[in-house]
């Protein structure tokens, strides 16, 4: 299953190569698909009704590893998640994994060194390009255009490097995530503002639609959540046709906040829709890594907060969405 590594950091637990599933009805009733999930949890019976995946796992004694979609109890280590079904029910899944803690720590340190060296070199290139473009040195038009290209591509490379190393840390269950209780509206406004110029250049309308009154606060790493929303916006901009519209919306939904980034326009095919968050499969198919990596990291960032992501489509367009729990009680920061 995507997200479980077979390169030594996290491995499938011996003899447990298949995920276990239960269906959680819209009324909160738990229905087993098979007995595998119950075996993964190490319990004889599951609770008859729960409100969420988190509530189910906590009810049987599992605790989330900070900053990761990993759960543990008395030596058992699980990866868990959920997906929405058409009838408002949810499909919950678990998958046992085993980890070599020292190997993970060494891998994270190695990634830190690689990130420092690569980003340092790129930052130097960017600094010199910006210095030459500050207007103090006369430049021929061709030289100026060349430096502007270097500046743009270096910014792109820096952003890609950050996403790559963050995704690699998330694969190890060590994504840095420093939470604080805050309002969601400023994060959404910043995400939209950062892409207004790109949307205008593509002749695509981009707007933020919020309900009357303040949204409930959330306990999140603001940078992580904003990155996820911006990843959705950039994904749509890559596919939007001139004259189409992108709308960012948010509202409370039960005990969560739902954020949607909708593109009103030509929808994707069913195959494209199914692969939206499939990081490696999309990269191989499209022969490009940036957008699949961004969306994959966005999912990891949201799941690290106990939320979920998804995609829906209809005749009028396609919607990427994420959900975040309202007023999380834990504000512990996690450092890779």
């Amino acid at each position: 299953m995507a997200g479980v590594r077979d390169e030594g950091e996290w491995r499938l637990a011996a003899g447990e190569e298949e995920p276990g599933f239960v269906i959680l009805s819209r009324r909160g009733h738990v229905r087993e698909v098979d007995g595998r999930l119950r075996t993964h949890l190490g319990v004889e019976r599951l609770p008859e009704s729960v409100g969420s995946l988190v509530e189910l796992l906590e009810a049987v004694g599992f605790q989330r590893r900070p900053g990761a979609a990993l759960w543990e109890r008395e030596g058992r280590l699980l990866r868990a998640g959920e997906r929405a079904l058409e009838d408002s029910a949810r499909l919950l899944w678990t998958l046992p994994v085993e980890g070599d803690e020292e190997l993970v720590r060494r891998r994270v340190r190695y990634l830190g060194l690689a990130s420092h060296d690569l980003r340092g070199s790129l930052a130097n290139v960017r600094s010199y390009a910006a210095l030459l473009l500050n207007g103090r040195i006369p430049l021929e038009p061709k030289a100026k255009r060349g430096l502007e290209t270097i500046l743009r591509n270096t910014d792109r490379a820096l952003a890609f490097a950050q996403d790559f190393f963050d995704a690699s840390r998330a694969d190890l269950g060590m994504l840095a995530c420093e939470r604080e209780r805050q309002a969601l509206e400023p994060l959404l406004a910043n995400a939209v503002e950062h892409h207004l110029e790109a949307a205008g250049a593509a002749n695509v309308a981009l707007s933020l639609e919020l309900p009357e009154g303040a949204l409930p606060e959330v306990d999140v790493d603001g940078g992580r959540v904003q990155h996820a929303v911006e990843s959705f916006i950039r994904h749509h901009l890559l596919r939007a046709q001139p004259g189409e519209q992108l709308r960012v919306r948010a509202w409370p939904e039960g005990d969560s906040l739902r954020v949607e980034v909708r593109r009103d326009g030509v929808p994707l095919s069913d195959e494209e829709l199914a692969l939206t968050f499939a990081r490696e499969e999309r990269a191989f198919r499209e022969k490009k890594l940036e957008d699949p990596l961004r969306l994959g990291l966005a999912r990891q960032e949201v799941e690290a907060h106990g939320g979920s992501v998804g995609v829906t489509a209809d005749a009028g367009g396609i919607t990427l969405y994420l959900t975040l729990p309202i007023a999380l009680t834990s504000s512990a920061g996690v450092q890779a």
Side-chain angles (χ1 to χ4, degrees), residues 1 4 12 16-22 34-42 46 53 56-57 60 62 69 71 77-82 91-97:
M1 176 171 288
V4 178
L12 293 175
E16 297 285 2
E17 297 185 356
E18 296 293 334
F21 297 100
V22 299
D34 51 44
R36 196 174 291 121
L37 185 140
R38 177 164 35 85
T39 301
H40 294 172
L41 298 181
L46 296 176
L53 171 67
L56 171 63
L57 293 172
V60 295
F62 278 81
W71 294 78
L77 189 62
L78 299 175
R79 194 172 289 277
E82 62 181 297
L91 182 69
L92 313 184
W93 58 264
T94 58
L95 186 65
V97 295

Side-chain angles (χ1 to χ4, degrees), residues 218-260:
V218 286
D219 189 12
V220 298
D221 183 318
R224 295 291 180 200
V225 172
Q226 184 173 322
H227 175 273
V229 176
E230 292 194 27
S231 297
F232 288 2
I233 294 173
R234 294 178 70 177
H235 175 79
H236 280 322
L237 284 176
L238 287 172
R239 289 156 177 75
Q241 301 297 316
E244 292 185 349
Q245 181 176 7
L246 300 187
R247 292 181 288 161
V248 179
R249 303 178 291 193
W251 64 88
E253 189 175 73
D255 59 357
S256 299
L257 280 181
R258 182 182 177 96
V259 179
E260 291 189 349

Side-chain angles (χ1 to χ4, degrees), residues 66-67 175-179 220-221 224 301 304-305 332-336:
L175 181 67
C177 189
E178 300 178 358
R179 300 181 183 180
V220 298
D221 183 318
R224 295 291 180 200
E301 290 172 319
H305 288 86
V334 180
Q335 198 66 34

Side-chain angles (χ1 to χ4, degrees), residues 31-323:
R31 178 163 61 87
E32 289 194 64
V33 176
D34 51 44
R36 196 174 291 121
L37 185 140
R38 177 164 35 85
T39 301
H40 294 172
L41 298 181
V43 297
E44 295 184 1
R45 296 181 59 185
L46 296 176
E48 293 184 1
S49 63
V50 294
S52 65
L53 171 67
V54 172
E55 189 175 320
L56 171 63
L57 293 172
E58 291 181 344
V60 295
F62 278 81
Q63 297 295 321
R64 180 190 293 274
R65 279 200 173 185
L70 293 173
W71 294 78
E72 59 185 336
R73 188 199 72 191
E74 299 176 354
R76 290 179 181 266
L77 189 62
L78 299 175
R79 194 172 289 277
E82 62 181 297
R83 291 290 179 271
L85 301 177
E86 292 182 356
D87 57 356
S88 298
R90 283 173 284 173
L91 182 69
L92 313 184
W93 58 264
T94 58
L95 186 65
V97 295
E98 58 185 17
D100 181 331
E101 297 292 342
E102 178 58 28
L103 185 59
V104 170
R105 287 192 289 269
R106 287 173 59 85
R107 184 64 176 170
V108 169
R109 289 199 299 270
Y110 181 83
L111 288 171
L113 292 172
S115 175
H116 177 271
D117 289 350
L118 177 59
R119 289 174 55 81
S121 298
L122 290 171
N124 283 337
V125 174
R126 190 195 189 286
S127 295
Y128 282 113
L131 180 64
L132 292 171
L133 283 169
N134 66 9
R136 297 179 182 180
I137 302 174
L139 296 172
E140 295 181 356
K142 186 175 182 179
K144 183 177 180 180
R145 288 195 300 271
L147 287 168
E148 290 170 345
T149 300
I150 291 173
L151 201 61
R152 285 195 304 272
N153 286 337
T154 305
D155 284 339
R156 180 178 175 181
L158 283 166
F160 173 78
Q162 183 68 55
D163 287 350
F164 180 84
F165 287 112
D166 279 349
S168 298
R169 293 186 182 98
D171 288 340
L172 297 171
M174 297 293 285
L175 181 67
C177 189
E178 300 178 358
R179 300 181 183 180
E180 61 177 324
R181 186 162 181 164
Q182 58 191 292
L184 191 62
E185 291 91 335
L187 304 179
L188 301 179
N190 288 338
V192 170
E193 184 179 356
H194 288 171
H195 294 84
L196 287 175
E197 184 177 349
N203 194 25
V204 173
L206 173 60
S207 61
L208 175 61
E209 301 176 3
L210 296 174
E212 294 184 5
L215 293 169
E217 291 186 331
V218 286
D219 189 12
V220 298
D221 183 318
R224 295 291 180 200
V225 172
Q226 184 173 322
H227 175 273
V229 176
E230 292 194 27
S231 297
F232 288 2
I233 294 173
R234 294 178 70 177
H235 175 79
H236 280 322
L237 284 176
L238 287 172
R239 289 156 177 75
Q241 301 297 316
E244 292 185 349
Q245 181 176 7
L246 300 187
R247 292 181 288 161
V248 179
R249 303 178 291 193
W251 64 88
E253 189 175 73
D255 59 357
S256 299
L257 280 181
R258 182 182 177 96
V259 179
E260 291 189 349
V261 182
R262 177 174 175 83
R263 174 169 64 86
D264 295 324
V266 179
L268 299 178
S269 67
D270 290 341
E271 183 179 19
E272 290 174 314
L273 202 66
L275 293 175
T276 300
F277 293 98
R279 184 177 69 191
E280 293 185 1
E281 181 65 21
R282 279 190 55 209
F284 291 140
R285 285 171 174 253
E286 300 171 16
K287 296 182 172 57
K288 293 180 180 179
L289 187 57
E290 273 185 282
D291 186 61
L293 179 66
R294 274 197 304 266
L295 281 193
L297 176 57
R299 177 171 64 181
Q300 292 170 312
E301 290 172 319
V302 172
E303 290 179 348
H305 288 86
S308 62
V309 301
V311 57
T312 61
D314 53 49
I318 180 171
T319 300
L320 292 167
Y321 68 87
L322 62 87
T323 64

